[in-house]
Coordinates of all heavy atoms in Angstrom, one line a residue:
M53 N -18.3 -5.3 -3.7 CA -17.6 -4.2 -4.2 C -16.1 -4.6 -4.7 O -15.7 -4.1 -5.8 CB -17.5 -3.0 -3.2 CG -16.9 -1.8 -3.7 SD -18.0 -1.1 -5.0 CE -17.3 0.5 -5.0
T54 N -15.5 -5.4 -3.9 CA -14.1 -5.8 -4.3 C -14.1 -6.5 -5.6 O -13.2 -6.4 -6.5 CB -13.4 -6.6 -3.2 OG1 -13.4 -5.8 -2.0 CG2 -12.0 -6.9 -3.5
L55 N -15.0 -7.5 -5.8 CA -15.1 -8.3 -7.0 C -15.3 -7.4 -8.2 O -14.7 -7.6 -9.2 CB -16.1 -9.4 -6.8 CG -16.3 -10.3 -8.0 CD1 -14.9 -11.0 -8.3 CD2 -17.3 -11.3 -7.8
R56 N -16.2 -6.5 -8.0 CA -16.6 -5.6 -9.1 C -15.3 -4.8 -9.6 O -15.1 -4.6 -10.7 CB -17.7 -4.6 -8.7 CG -18.2 -3.7 -9.8 CD -19.3 -2.8 -9.4 NE -20.4 -3.5 -8.8 CZ -21.2 -3.0 -7.8 NH1 -21.0 -1.8 -7.4 NH2 -22.1 -3.8 -7.3
L57 N -14.5 -4.4 -8.6 CA -13.3 -3.6 -8.9 C -12.3 -4.6 -9.6 O -11.6 -4.1 -10.5 CB -12.7 -3.0 -7.7 CG -13.4 -1.8 -7.1 CD1 -12.8 -1.3 -5.8 CD2 -13.4 -0.6 -8.1
Q58 N -12.2 -5.8 -9.2 CA -11.2 -6.7 -9.7 C -11.6 -7.0 -11.2 O -10.7 -7.3 -12.0 CB -11.1 -8.0 -8.9 CG -10.4 -7.8 -7.6 CD -10.4 -9.1 -6.8 OE1 -11.1 -10.1 -7.0 NE2 -9.6 -9.1 -5.8
L59 N -12.9 -7.1 -11.5 CA -13.3 -7.4 -12.8 C -13.0 -6.1 -13.7 O -12.9 -6.3 -15.0 CB -14.8 -7.7 -12.8 CG -15.2 -9.0 -12.2 CD1 -16.7 -9.1 -12.2 CD2 -14.6 -10.2 -13.0
R60 N -12.8 -5.0 -13.1 CA -12.4 -3.8 -13.9 C -10.9 -3.6 -13.9 O -10.4 -2.5 -14.1 CB -13.1 -2.6 -13.4 CG -14.6 -2.6 -13.6 CD -15.3 -1.4 -13.2 NE -14.6 -0.2 -13.1 CZ -14.7 0.8 -12.1 NH1 -15.7 0.6 -11.2 NH2 -14.0 1.9 -12.1
D61 N -10.1 -4.7 -13.5 CA -8.7 -4.7 -13.5 C -8.0 -4.0 -12.2 O -6.9 -3.7 -12.2 CB -8.0 -4.1 -14.7 CG -7.4 -5.2 -15.6 OD1 -7.4 -6.3 -15.1 OD2 -7.0 -4.9 -16.7
Y62 N -8.8 -3.7 -11.3 CA -8.3 -3.2 -9.9 C -7.8 -4.3 -9.2 O -8.3 -5.4 -9.2 CB -9.3 -2.4 -9.1 CG -9.5 -1.0 -9.6 CD1 -10.2 -0.7 -10.8 CD2 -9.0 0.1 -8.9 CE1 -10.4 0.6 -11.2 CE2 -9.2 1.3 -9.2 CZ -9.9 1.6 -10.5 OH -10.1 2.9 -10.9
R63 N -6.6 -4.1 -8.4 CA -6.1 -5.2 -7.6 C -5.7 -4.6 -6.2 O -5.4 -3.4 -6.2 CB -4.8 -5.8 -8.2 CG -5.2 -6.5 -9.5 CD -4.0 -7.1 -10.1 NE -4.1 -6.8 -11.6 CZ -3.0 -6.7 -12.4 NH1 -1.8 -6.8 -11.9 NH2 -3.2 -6.5 -13.6
L64 N -5.5 -5.4 -5.3 CA -5.1 -5.0 -3.9 C -3.7 -4.5 -4.1 O -2.8 -5.2 -4.5 CB -5.3 -6.0 -2.9 CG -4.8 -5.6 -1.5 CD1 -5.7 -4.5 -1.0 CD2 -4.8 -6.8 -0.5
T65 N -3.4 -3.2 -3.8 CA -2.1 -2.6 -4.0 C -1.7 -2.1 -2.6 O -2.4 -1.6 -1.8 CB -2.2 -1.4 -4.9 OG1 -2.8 -1.8 -6.1 CG2 -0.9 -0.8 -5.2
T66 N -0.4 -2.4 -2.3 CA 0.3 -2.0 -1.1 C 1.5 -1.1 -1.5 O 2.2 -1.5 -2.3 CB 0.8 -3.2 -0.2 OG1 -0.4 -4.1 -0.1 CG2 1.3 -2.7 1.0
A67 N 1.6 0.0 -0.8 CA 2.8 0.9 -1.1 C 3.4 1.2 0.2 O 2.8 1.5 1.3 CB 2.3 2.2 -1.7
E68 N 4.8 0.9 0.2 CA 5.6 1.3 1.4 C 6.2 2.7 1.1 O 7.0 2.8 0.1 CB 6.7 0.3 1.6 CG 7.6 0.6 2.7 CD 8.8 -0.2 2.8 OE1 9.4 -0.6 1.7 OE2 9.3 -0.6 3.9
I69 N 5.8 3.7 1.9 CA 6.2 5.1 1.6 C 7.2 5.4 2.7 O 6.9 5.4 3.9 CB 5.0 6.0 1.7 CG1 4.0 5.6 0.6 CG2 5.4 7.4 1.6 CD1 2.6 6.2 0.8
L70 N 8.4 5.8 2.2 CA 9.4 6.3 3.2 C 9.4 7.9 3.1 O 9.4 8.4 2.0 CB 10.9 5.8 2.8 CG 11.1 4.3 3.1 CD1 12.5 3.9 2.6 CD2 11.0 4.0 4.5
Y71 N 9.4 8.5 4.1 CA 9.4 10.0 4.2 C 10.3 10.5 5.3 O 10.6 9.8 6.2 CB 7.9 10.5 4.3 CG 7.3 10.2 5.6 CD1 7.3 11.1 6.7 CD2 6.6 9.0 5.9 CE1 6.7 10.8 7.8 CE2 6.1 8.7 7.1 CZ 6.1 9.6 8.1 OH 5.5 9.3 9.3
R72 N 10.7 11.7 5.1 CA 11.6 12.3 6.1 C 10.8 13.0 7.2 O 9.7 13.7 6.9 CB 12.5 13.4 5.3 CG 13.4 12.8 4.3 CD 14.4 13.7 3.9 NE 15.3 13.1 2.8 CZ 16.3 12.2 3.1 NH1 16.5 11.9 4.4 NH2 17.0 11.7 2.1
L73 N 11.2 12.9 8.4 CA 10.5 13.6 9.5 C 10.7 15.1 9.4 O 11.8 15.5 9.1 CB 11.0 13.0 10.8 CG 10.7 11.6 11.2 CD1 11.4 11.2 12.4 CD2 9.2 11.3 11.2
P74 N 9.7 15.8 9.6 CA 9.8 17.4 9.4 C 10.8 17.9 10.4 O 11.6 18.8 9.9 CB 8.4 17.8 9.6 CG 7.5 16.7 9.5 CD 8.3 15.4 9.7
D75 N 10.8 17.5 11.6 CA 11.6 18.0 12.7 C 13.1 17.5 12.5 O 14.1 18.1 13.1 CB 11.2 17.8 14.0 CG 9.8 18.5 14.3 OD1 9.6 19.5 13.5 OD2 9.1 18.1 15.1
H76 N 13.3 16.3 11.9 CA 14.6 15.6 11.8 C 14.8 15.1 10.5 O 14.5 13.9 10.3 CB 14.7 14.5 12.9 CG 14.5 14.9 14.3 ND1 15.4 15.6 15.0 CD2 13.4 14.8 15.1 CE1 14.9 15.9 16.3 NE2 13.7 15.4 16.3
P77 N 15.1 15.9 9.4 CA 15.1 15.4 8.1 C 16.1 14.3 7.8 O 16.0 13.7 6.8 CB 15.4 16.7 7.3 CG 15.6 17.8 8.3 CD 15.4 17.3 9.6
A78 N 17.1 14.1 8.7 CA 17.9 13.0 8.5 C 17.4 11.6 8.7 O 17.9 10.6 8.3 CB 19.3 13.2 9.3
L79 N 16.3 11.6 9.4 CA 15.6 10.4 9.8 C 14.4 10.0 8.9 O 13.7 10.9 8.4 CB 15.0 10.4 11.2 CG 16.0 10.7 12.3 CD1 15.3 10.8 13.7 CD2 17.0 9.5 12.4
L80 N 14.3 8.8 8.6 CA 13.2 8.3 7.6 C 12.1 7.6 8.5 O 12.5 6.9 9.4 CB 13.8 7.4 6.6 CG 14.6 8.0 5.5 CD1 15.2 6.9 4.6 CD2 13.9 9.1 4.7
Q81 N 10.9 7.7 8.1 CA 9.8 7.0 8.7 C 9.1 6.2 7.6 O 9.0 6.6 6.5 CB 8.9 8.0 9.4 CG 7.7 7.5 10.1 CD 8.1 6.9 11.4 OE1 9.1 7.2 12.0 NE2 7.3 6.0 11.9
T82 N 8.4 5.2 8.0 CA 7.7 4.4 7.0 C 6.2 4.5 7.3 O 5.7 4.5 8.4 CB 8.1 2.8 7.3 OG1 9.5 2.7 7.1 CG2 7.3 1.9 6.2
Y83 N 5.5 4.5 6.1 CA 4.1 4.5 6.2 C 3.6 3.5 5.2 O 4.1 3.5 4.0 CB 3.5 5.9 5.8 CG 2.0 6.0 5.8 CD1 1.3 6.2 7.0 CD2 1.2 5.9 4.7 CE1 -0.1 6.3 7.0 CE2 -0.2 6.0 4.6 CZ -0.8 6.1 5.8 OH -2.2 6.2 5.9
I84 N 2.6 2.6 5.6 CA 2.1 1.6 4.7 C 0.7 2.0 4.2 O -0.2 2.3 5.0 CB 2.0 0.2 5.4 CG1 3.4 -0.2 5.8 CG2 1.4 -0.8 4.4 CD1 4.5 -0.4 4.8
W85 N 0.5 2.1 2.9 CA -0.8 2.5 2.3 C -1.3 1.2 1.6 O -0.6 0.6 0.9 CB -0.5 3.6 1.4 CG -1.8 4.0 0.6 CD1 -2.7 5.0 0.9 CD2 -2.2 3.5 -0.7 NE1 -3.6 5.1 0.0 CE2 -3.3 4.2 -1.1 CE3 -1.6 2.6 -1.6 CZ2 -4.0 4.0 -2.3 CZ3 -2.3 2.4 -2.8 CH2 -3.5 3.1 -3.2
Q86 N -2.6 0.9 1.7 CA -3.2 -0.2 1.0 C -4.6 0.2 0.5 O -5.4 0.7 1.3 CB -3.2 -1.4 2.0 CG -3.4 -2.7 1.3 CD -3.2 -3.9 2.2 OE1 -3.8 -3.9 3.3 NE2 -2.4 -4.8 1.8
N87 N -4.8 -0.1 -0.7 CA -6.1 0.1 -1.4 C -6.3 -0.6 -2.7 O -5.3 -1.2 -3.2 CB -6.3 1.6 -1.6 CG -7.7 2.1 -1.7 OD1 -8.6 1.3 -1.7 ND2 -7.9 3.4 -1.8
M88 N -7.5 -0.6 -3.2 CA -7.6 -1.3 -4.5 C -7.2 -0.2 -5.5 O -7.6 1.0 -5.5 CB -9.1 -1.6 -4.8 CG -9.7 -2.7 -3.8 SD -8.8 -4.2 -3.9 CE -9.5 -4.9 -5.4
D89 N -6.3 -0.6 -6.5 CA -5.8 0.3 -7.5 C -5.5 -0.4 -8.8 O -5.5 -1.7 -8.8 CB -4.6 0.9 -7.0 CG -4.3 2.3 -7.5 OD1 -5.1 2.7 -8.5 OD2 -3.4 3.1 -7.0
M90 N -5.3 0.3 -9.9 CA -5.1 -0.3 -11.2 C -3.7 0.1 -11.8 O -3.3 1.2 -11.8 CB -6.1 0.3 -12.1 CG -6.1 -0.4 -13.5 SD -7.3 0.3 -14.7 CE -8.5 1.1 -13.9
A91 N -2.9 -1.0 -12.1 CA -1.6 -0.8 -12.6 C -1.8 -0.6 -14.1 O -2.7 -1.1 -14.7 CB -0.7 -2.1 -12.4
P92 N -0.9 0.1 -14.8 CA 0.3 0.7 -14.3 C 0.2 2.2 -14.0 O 1.1 2.8 -13.5 CB 1.3 0.6 -15.5 CG 0.4 0.7 -16.7 CD -0.9 0.0 -16.3
S93 N -1.0 2.7 -14.1 CA -1.2 4.1 -13.8 C -1.4 4.5 -12.4 O -1.1 5.6 -11.9 CB -2.4 4.7 -14.6 OG -3.5 4.0 -14.3
F94 N -1.9 3.5 -11.5 CA -2.1 3.7 -10.1 C -2.8 5.0 -9.8 O -2.3 5.9 -9.1 CB -0.8 3.6 -9.3 CG -0.1 2.3 -9.5 CD1 1.1 2.1 -10.3 CD2 -0.7 1.2 -8.9 CE1 1.6 0.9 -10.4 CE2 0.0 0.0 -9.0 CZ 1.1 -0.2 -9.8
P95 N -4.1 5.3 -10.3 CA -4.7 6.5 -10.0 C -5.0 6.8 -8.5 O -4.9 7.9 -8.1 CB -6.0 6.4 -10.8 CG -6.2 5.0 -11.0 CD -4.9 4.3 -11.1
E96 N -5.4 5.8 -7.8 CA -5.6 6.0 -6.3 C -4.3 6.3 -5.5 O -4.4 7.2 -4.7 CB -6.3 4.7 -5.7 CG -7.6 4.3 -6.3 CD -8.7 5.4 -6.2 OE1 -8.7 6.0 -5.1 OE2 -9.4 5.5 -7.1
L97 N -3.3 5.6 -5.8 CA -2.0 6.0 -5.2 C -1.5 7.3 -5.6 O -1.1 8.1 -4.7 CB -1.0 4.9 -5.5 CG 0.5 5.1 -4.9 CD1 0.4 5.1 -3.4 CD2 1.4 3.9 -5.4
R98 N -1.6 7.7 -6.8 CA -1.2 9.0 -7.2 C -2.1 10.1 -6.6 O -1.5 11.1 -6.1 CB -1.3 9.2 -8.7 CG -0.2 8.4 -9.5 CD -0.3 8.6 -11.0 NE 0.6 7.9 -11.7 CZ 1.8 8.2 -12.0 NH1 2.2 9.5 -11.6 NH2 2.6 7.5 -12.6
R99 N -3.3 9.8 -6.4 CA -4.2 10.8 -5.7 C -3.8 11.0 -4.2 O -3.7 12.1 -3.7 CB -5.7 10.3 -5.8 CG -6.6 11.4 -5.3 CD -8.1 10.9 -5.6 NE -8.4 10.7 -7.0 CZ -8.7 9.5 -7.5 NH1 -8.9 8.5 -6.8 NH2 -8.9 9.4 -8.8
F100 N -3.4 9.8 -3.6 CA -2.9 9.9 -2.2 C -1.6 10.6 -2.1 O -1.4 11.4 -1.2 CB -2.9 8.5 -1.6 CG -2.3 8.5 -0.2 CD1 -3.1 8.9 0.8 CD2 -1.0 8.1 0.0 CE1 -2.6 8.9 2.1 CE2 -0.5 8.1 1.3 CZ -1.3 8.5 2.3
L101 N -0.7 10.3 -3.0 CA 0.6 11.0 -3.0 C 0.5 12.5 -3.3 O 1.2 13.3 -2.7 CB 1.6 10.3 -3.9 CG 2.0 8.9 -3.6 CD1 2.9 8.2 -4.6 CD2 2.6 8.8 -2.2
D102 N -0.4 12.9 -4.1 CA -0.6 14.3 -4.4 C -1.1 15.0 -3.2 O -0.7 16.1 -2.8 CB -1.6 14.5 -5.6 CG -1.0 14.2 -6.9 OD1 0.2 14.1 -7.0 OD2 -1.9 13.9 -7.9
F103 N -2.1 14.3 -2.5 CA -2.6 14.8 -1.2 C -1.5 15.0 -0.2 O -1.3 16.0 0.5 CB -3.7 13.9 -0.6 CG -4.0 14.2 0.8 CD1 -4.7 15.3 1.3 CD2 -3.4 13.3 1.8 CE1 -4.9 15.4 2.6 CE2 -3.7 13.5 3.1 CZ -4.4 14.6 3.5
W104 N -0.6 13.9 -0.1 CA 0.5 14.0 0.8 C 1.5 15.2 0.5 O 1.8 15.9 1.5 CB 1.3 12.7 0.7 CG 2.5 12.5 1.6 CD1 3.6 13.3 1.7 CD2 2.6 11.5 2.6 NE1 4.4 12.9 2.7 CE2 3.8 11.8 3.3 CE3 1.8 10.5 3.0 CZ2 4.3 11.0 4.3 CZ3 2.3 9.7 4.0 CH2 3.5 9.9 4.7
T105 N 1.9 15.4 -0.7 CA 2.8 16.5 -1.0 C 2.1 17.9 -0.8 O 2.8 18.8 -0.4 CB 3.3 16.4 -2.5 OG1 2.2 16.3 -3.4 CG2 4.2 15.2 -2.6
R106 N 0.8 18.0 -1.0 CA 0.1 19.2 -0.8 C -0.2 19.5 0.7 O -0.1 20.7 1.1 CB -1.3 19.3 -1.5 CG -1.3 19.6 -2.9 CD -2.7 19.8 -3.5 NE -3.8 19.0 -2.8 CZ -4.1 17.8 -3.2 NH1 -3.6 17.3 -4.2 NH2 -5.1 17.2 -2.5
S107 N -0.5 18.5 1.5 CA -1.0 18.8 2.8 C -0.2 18.4 4.0 O -0.4 18.8 5.1 CB -2.3 18.0 3.0 OG -3.2 18.3 1.9
L108 N 0.8 17.5 3.8 CA 1.7 17.0 4.9 C 3.0 17.6 4.8 O 3.6 17.9 3.7 CB 1.7 15.5 4.9 CG 0.3 14.8 5.0 CD1 0.4 13.3 4.9 CD2 -0.5 15.2 6.3
D109 N 3.7 17.7 6.0 CA 5.0 18.3 6.1 C 6.1 17.3 5.7 O 7.2 17.7 5.3 CB 5.2 18.8 7.5 CG 4.4 20.0 7.8 OD1 4.0 20.7 6.8 OD2 4.1 20.3 9.0
G110 N 5.9 16.0 6.0 CA 7.0 15.1 5.7 C 7.3 14.9 4.2 O 6.4 14.5 3.4
R111 N 8.6 15.2 3.8 CA 8.9 15.2 2.4 C 9.1 13.7 2.0 O 9.7 12.9 2.7 CB 10.2 15.9 2.2 CG 10.3 16.6 0.9 CD 11.5 17.6 0.8 NE 12.7 16.7 0.5 CZ 13.8 16.7 1.2 NH1 14.0 17.4 2.2 NH2 14.8 15.9 0.8
L112 N 8.6 13.3 0.9 CA 8.6 11.9 0.4 C 10.1 11.5 0.1 O 10.8 12.4 -0.7 CB 7.8 11.7 -0.8 CG 6.2 11.8 -0.6 CD1 5.5 11.7 -1.9 CD2 5.8 10.7 0.4
H113 N 10.5 10.4 0.4 CA 11.8 9.9 0.1 C 11.7 8.9 -1.0 O 12.4 9.0 -2.1 CB 12.6 9.2 1.3 CG 13.9 8.6 0.9 ND1 14.0 7.3 0.6 CD2 15.1 9.2 1.0 CE1 15.3 7.1 0.4 NE2 16.0 8.2 0.6
S114 N 10.9 7.8 -0.9 CA 10.7 6.8 -1.9 C 9.3 6.1 -1.6 O 8.8 6.1 -0.6 CB 11.9 5.8 -1.8 OG 11.9 5.2 -0.6
V115 N 8.9 5.4 -2.7 CA 7.7 4.6 -2.6 C 7.9 3.3 -3.3 O 8.4 3.3 -4.5 CB 6.5 5.4 -3.4 CG1 5.2 4.6 -3.3 CG2 6.3 6.8 -2.7
R116 N 7.6 2.3 -2.6 CA 7.8 0.9 -3.2 C 6.4 0.3 -3.3 O 5.6 0.3 -2.3 CB 8.7 0.0 -2.3 CG 9.0 -1.3 -2.9 CD 10.2 -2.0 -2.3 NE 10.0 -2.0 -0.8 CZ 10.8 -2.7 0.0 NH1 11.7 -3.4 -0.5 NH2 10.6 -2.7 1.2
V117 N 6.0 -0.3 -4.5 CA 4.6 -0.7 -4.7 C 4.7 -2.3 -5.0 O 5.5 -2.7 -5.7 CB 4.0 0.0 -5.9 CG1 2.6 -0.4 -6.2 CG2 4.1 1.5 -5.6
A118 N 3.7 -2.9 -4.4 CA 3.4 -4.3 -4.7 C 1.9 -4.5 -4.9 O 1.1 -3.8 -4.3 CB 3.9 -5.2 -3.5
Q119 N 1.6 -5.5 -5.8 CA 0.2 -5.8 -6.1 C -0.1 -7.2 -6.0 O 0.7 -8.1 -6.3 CB -0.1 -5.3 -7.5 CG -1.0 -4.1 -7.5 CD -1.5 -3.8 -8.9 OE1 -1.0 -4.2 -9.9 NE2 -2.5 -2.8 -8.9
Q120 N -1.4 -7.5 -5.6 CA -1.9 -8.9 -5.6 C -2.1 -9.4 -7.0 O -2.4 -8.5 -7.9 CB -3.2 -9.0 -4.8 CG -3.8 -10.3 -4.7 CD -5.1 -10.3 -3.9 OE1 -5.8 -9.2 -3.9 NE2 -5.5 -11.4 -3.4
A121 N -2.0 -10.7 -7.3 CA -2.4 -11.2 -8.6 C -3.9 -11.0 -8.9 O -4.6 -10.8 -8.1 CB -2.0 -12.7 -8.6
R122 N -4.2 -11.1 -10.2 CA -5.6 -10.9 -10.6 C -6.4 -12.1 -10.0 O -6.0 -13.3 -10.0 CB -5.7 -11.1 -12.1 CG -5.1 -9.8 -12.8 CD -5.4 -10.0 -14.3 NE -4.9 -8.9 -15.0 CZ -5.1 -8.7 -16.2 NH1 -5.8 -9.5 -16.9 NH2 -4.6 -7.6 -16.8
L123 N -7.7 -11.8 -9.7 CA -8.6 -12.8 -9.3 C -8.0 -14.2 -8.8 O -8.1 -15.2 -9.4 CB -9.6 -13.1 -10.4 CG -10.6 -11.9 -10.8 CD1 -11.5 -12.3 -11.9 CD2 -11.4 -11.5 -9.6
A124 N -7.3 -14.1 -7.7 CA -6.7 -15.4 -7.2 C -7.7 -16.2 -6.4 O -8.5 -15.6 -5.7 CB -5.5 -15.0 -6.3
V125 N -7.6 -17.5 -6.6 CA -8.5 -18.4 -5.8 C -7.9 -18.4 -4.3 O -6.6 -18.6 -4.2 CB -8.4 -19.8 -6.4 CG1 -9.3 -20.7 -5.5 CG2 -8.9 -19.8 -7.8
P126 N -8.7 -18.3 -3.4 CA -8.2 -18.3 -2.0 C -7.6 -19.7 -1.7 O -8.1 -20.7 -2.1 CB -9.4 -18.1 -1.1 CG -10.4 -17.5 -2.0 CD -10.1 -18.0 -3.4
S127 N -6.4 -19.6 -1.0 CA -5.8 -20.9 -0.6 C -5.8 -21.2 0.9 O -5.8 -20.2 1.6 CB -4.4 -20.9 -1.2 OG -3.7 -19.9 -0.5
V128 N -5.8 -22.4 1.3 CA -5.8 -22.8 2.6 C -4.6 -23.7 2.8 O -4.4 -24.6 2.0 CB -7.1 -23.5 3.0 CG1 -7.0 -24.0 4.4 CG2 -8.3 -22.6 2.8
R129 N -3.8 -23.4 3.8 CA -2.6 -24.3 4.1 C -2.7 -24.9 5.5 O -3.3 -24.1 6.4 CB -1.3 -23.6 4.0 CG -1.0 -23.0 2.7 CD 0.3 -22.3 2.7 NE 0.5 -21.5 3.9 CZ 1.7 -20.9 4.2 NH1 2.7 -21.0 3.3 NH2 1.8 -20.2 5.3
H130 N -2.3 -26.0 5.8 CA -2.2 -26.6 7.1 C -1.0 -26.1 7.8 O 0.1 -25.9 7.1 CB -2.2 -28.1 7.0 CG -3.5 -28.7 6.5 ND1 -4.7 -28.7 7.3 CD2 -3.9 -29.2 5.3 CE1 -5.6 -29.3 6.6 NE2 -5.1 -29.5 5.4
A131 N -1.0 -25.9 9.1 CA 0.1 -25.4 9.9 C 1.2 -26.5 9.8 O 0.9 -27.7 10.0 CB -0.3 -25.1 11.3
G132 N 2.4 -26.1 9.7 CA 3.5 -27.0 9.6 C 4.0 -27.5 11.0 O 4.6 -28.5 11.3
A133 N 3.6 -26.6 12.1 CA 4.0 -26.9 13.5 C 2.9 -26.4 14.4 O 2.3 -25.4 14.1 CB 5.4 -26.4 13.8
W134 N 2.8 -27.0 15.6 CA 2.0 -26.5 16.6 C 2.8 -26.3 17.9 O 3.4 -27.2 18.4 CB 0.9 -27.5 16.9 CG -0.1 -27.1 18.0 CD1 0.0 -27.2 19.3 CD2 -1.3 -26.4 17.7 NE1 -1.1 -26.7 19.9 CE2 -1.9 -26.2 19.0 CE3 -2.0 -25.9 16.6 CZ2 -3.1 -25.5 19.1 CZ3 -3.1 -25.2 16.7 CH2 -3.7 -25.0 18.0
L135 N 3.0 -25.0 18.2 CA 3.9 -24.7 19.4 C 3.0 -24.1 20.5 O 2.1 -23.4 20.3 CB 4.9 -23.6 19.0 CG 5.8 -24.0 17.8 CD1 6.6 -22.8 17.4 CD2 6.7 -25.2 18.0
T136 N 3.4 -24.6 21.8 CA 2.8 -24.0 22.9 C 3.8 -23.4 23.8 O 4.8 -23.9 24.1 CB 2.1 -25.2 23.8 OG1 1.2 -25.9 22.9 CG2 1.4 -24.6 25.0
I137 N 3.6 -22.1 24.1 CA 4.5 -21.4 24.9 C 3.8 -21.1 26.3 O 2.7 -20.5 26.3 CB 5.0 -20.1 24.2 CG1 5.6 -20.4 22.9 CG2 5.8 -19.2 25.2 CD1 5.9 -19.2 22.1
H138 N 4.5 -21.4 27.3 CA 3.9 -21.1 28.7 C 4.4 -19.8 29.2 O 5.5 -19.5 29.1 CB 4.2 -22.2 29.6 CG 3.6 -23.6 29.3 ND1 2.3 -23.8 29.6 CD2 4.1 -24.6 28.7 CE1 2.0 -25.0 29.1 NE2 3.1 -25.5 28.6

C-alpha cells in the first residue's frame, strides 16, 4: 500500500502541532502527527486539522511540517561506536 501511494506522489509526512492547553492557555503542548500525504496541498493533514478545530478543545498555535524524499532507497549504516553500560 505504501509503494502504491508513493507512486501517486504521496510521501511520509510528519507534522509537529503546537496547541494551547484548554485549562491553561498560556502553556503549549506538542502533538506529533505522521501519515502518508501529498505536498503541497496536504489533504490528509488538512483533514486532520479540520477535525482538530471542530472536535477538540486545545486551540492550535502552530504546525511545522516535514516530508520524506520521494522513493528513497533504504540505507544501512554501521555503528560508529559500541558502548556497554553496566
